[in-house]
Amino acid sequence: MFGISTSVFSEAGGLVKDWLKNPLNASFLYWYFLPAVGFVLLQLFLIGPALGRPAPGVFNIEAGPSKSAADLILQILSGSLFALVILPLIIAVVMSALSGAILRLFQGVLPITRPLFGRWLRQNQVRSGSLYGPLQVRRREYLFLVSHGVRLVNTDGEERAELVAEAERASLAEQLKAEIQNLHERFETISPVRELPVDIERVGPTNLANTLSVAEEYPFERYGMDTAVFWPRLCAEIEPEKLESLTTSFGAMNGLLNLSLLGYLFAIESLVVAVGIETGWIKAGALPLVQIRWLFVAALLSILVGVGTYRSAVRAAYSVGNALRTAFDYYRGRILVRFNLKLPEDLEQERVVWLKLAAFIRRGESFYYPSEFRNEEKG
């Protein structure tokens, strides 16, 4: 009924825009340039020799006698070391520019790879529905009861609202509270940390996607706030120094995903080259200078690097989620001040405010504006 917000992290990606404005900074160096250097070195010292090409002497630049400083500079620029700087720099810039696409790839929502994740998506949706389906129903019933005084009744697949007598509302509300409490206690015995979103539309195929979705779902569950609508406005209210922790965590998550992708790419490349040489599909230019078994070892190690850095990225996503939740808990009232609204003392009424305000922002019609909560003292 209230709609599903798009991922907040497409907006949070704007927090790393300074990387593109000033890419030659510490974050770019650690998360993009140095991994690209390692990737190029593996090409020069492992893949190339396996194909019969000698490893280049990238660290053996001899300047020799020169008549001027210009001659010395030209000799350095002609060496392999310069190529080892330029090529990784190009790779690093491209990877940093594609950080949003890499994030969607590991979330399993990149259009070109989405069909590959279909099986895991369906499995996670079934798990979420079986676990949290009853909770969704009870929450919705409770919200409509306390906000509109109606009971939602489902008959033959059709939902209708029945007015509840005022004398019966309190007892029905207590009954729904007890049912919701029992459901939460059952969830906590299964897992103390929620791994899947309650809303099945937010469920993703990967751990990374679900970690971010659970964080995005938090403001809507607690306050009825559409994260995609209110995050840009909330971000403007946070002090820059406090926003830095979120920026750092988000940057670390993207950087670790970049490392993971490079690890998987090199593993695939090593396996393809090794199998190609073994089967004769790939013809080496000369006798291989690296034994083929080392390519299989390198592929295995690269897979381990990819898995390890991906898991680290998921842990970084938890940090991003914690910062996001804290921001909504502490700063949401400032958004209402900007709209000349006051924060209701009752949480259920606060949910009504956010739902109406979100509709007003998205649709623009004046009748959505929650004028009953206008702050008369300031306006």
Side-chain angles (χ1 to χ4, degrees):
M1 179 176 180
F2 305 120
I4 302 302
S5 66
T6 57
S7 176
V8 65
F9 299 96
S10 60
E11 173 67 29
L15 295 175
V16 294
K17 60 182 179 293
D18 57 321
W19 288 20
L20 299 179
K21 291 181 178 179
N22 181 25
L24 299 179
N25 54 29
S27 297
F28 180 85
L29 176 68
Y30 295 141
W31 295 121
Y32 291 94
F33 180 72
L34 291 181
V37 170
F39 186 79
V40 171
L41 286 174
L42 288 172
Q43 304 298 317
L44 296 176
F45 290 95
L46 190 62
I47 300 299
L51 296 173
R53 301 169 186 167
V58 295
F59 302 112
N60 299 323
I61 297 177
E62 297 181 0
S66 60
K67 298 181 180 180
S68 65
D71 294 334
L72 178 61
I73 294 174
L74 289 174
Q75 288 182 3
I76 294 175
L77 295 181
S78 64
S80 299
L81 184 59
F82 182 74
L84 194 58
V85 173
I86 292 299
L87 184 57
L89 184 60
I90 294 173
I91 294 174
V93 170
V94 171
M95 298 298 285
S96 65
L98 295 176
S99 59
I102 295 172
L103 174 59
R104 291 192 293 274
L105 171 65
F106 281 95
Q107 285 180 298
V109 297
L110 196 66
I112 193 172
T113 58
R114 184 180 298 173
L116 301 177
F117 293 92
R119 174 185 175 186
W120 290 278
L121 176 60
R122 290 189 292 272
Q123 288 179 349
N124 288 336
Q125 286 177 335
V126 170
R127 285 178 55 207
S128 176
S130 61
L131 278 174
Y132 303 121
L135 177 62
Q136 280 281 73
V137 173
R138 296 296 177 269
R139 278 178 168 175
R140 196 159 179 268
E141 291 177 354
Y142 182 77
L143 174 62
F144 275 79
L145 177 66
V146 299
S147 60
H148 301 291
V150 299
R151 172 191 298 167
L152 298 179
V153 179
N154 195 305
T155 304
D156 297 331
E158 294 185 2
E159 186 180 70
R160 70 179 190 276
E162 295 181 349
L163 186 65
V164 179
E166 190 171 351
E168 300 177 2
R169 292 177 188 176
S171 60
L172 183 56
E174 291 300 321
Q175 177 185 341
L176 289 173
K177 287 180 184 178
E179 293 178 3
I180 293 173
Q181 172 69 16
N182 291 334
L183 288 171
H184 280 296
E185 290 177 353
R186 182 168 68 87
F187 300 150
E188 290 168 0
T189 58
I190 297 174
S191 175
V193 178
R194 184 181 297 174
E195 298 178 351
L196 292 171
V198 172
D199 193 327
I200 197 170
E201 296 297 329
R202 298 182 193 268
V203 175
T206 67
N207 289 337
L208 179 70
N210 289 316
T211 298
L212 299 179
S213 294
V214 168
E216 180 193 359
E217 189 178 53
Y218 177 89
F220 192 81
E221 278 193 323
R222 302 304 186 274
Y223 312 114
M225 298 180 70
D226 188 321
T227 313
V229 171
F230 291 112
W231 172 249
R233 294 161 176 83
L234 186 73
C235 188
E237 301 298 330
I238 304 175
E239 294 84 353
E241 60 275 12
K242 294 184 179 179
L243 192 62
E244 185 178 356
S245 63
L246 178 58
T247 306
T248 302
S249 298
F250 191 83
M253 180 187 70
N254 274 334
L256 288 165
L257 292 177
N258 177 61
L259 285 171
S260 182
L261 179 61
L262 289 177
Y264 287 132
L265 288 177
F266 184 73
I268 294 172
E269 181 186 18
S270 299
L271 289 175
V272 169
V273 172
V275 173
I277 294 176
E278 286 284 349
T279 59
W281 174 58
I282 296 178
K283 301 294 184 180
L287 290 177
L289 303 178
V290 172
Q291 296 182 359
I292 302 304
R293 67 170 180 268
W294 290 112
L295 291 178
F296 289 106
V297 172
L300 177 61
L301 293 177
S302 297
I303 292 174
L304 293 177
V305 169
V307 172
T309 50
Y310 170 74
R311 291 183 176 179
S312 297
V314 174
R315 289 193 291 271
Y318 278 112
S319 298
V320 173
N322 288 334
L324 176 75
R325 285 185 278 264
T326 301
F328 275 96
D329 288 337
Y330 291 174
Y331 295 96
R332 70 186 190 280
R334 297 186 182 183
I335 299 177
L336 294 181
V337 172
R338 298 289 186 180
F339 285 91
N340 196 31
L341 297 171
K342 59 184 177 181
L343 191 67
E345 295 181 1
D346 182 76
L347 185 58
E348 300 307 327
Q349 291 299 316
E350 181 182 343
R351 288 175 174 168
V352 174
V353 173
W354 292 116
L355 292 172
K356 287 187 174 182
L357 185 58
F360 170 72
I361 293 173
R362 288 196 306 265
R363 300 168 183 173
E365 305 299 338
S366 59
F367 54 79
Y368 289 117
Y369 182 77
S371 56
E372 66 271 28
F373 298 99
R374 185 185 296 273
N375 190 349
E376 300 296 343
E377 297 179 358
K378 295 185 177 182

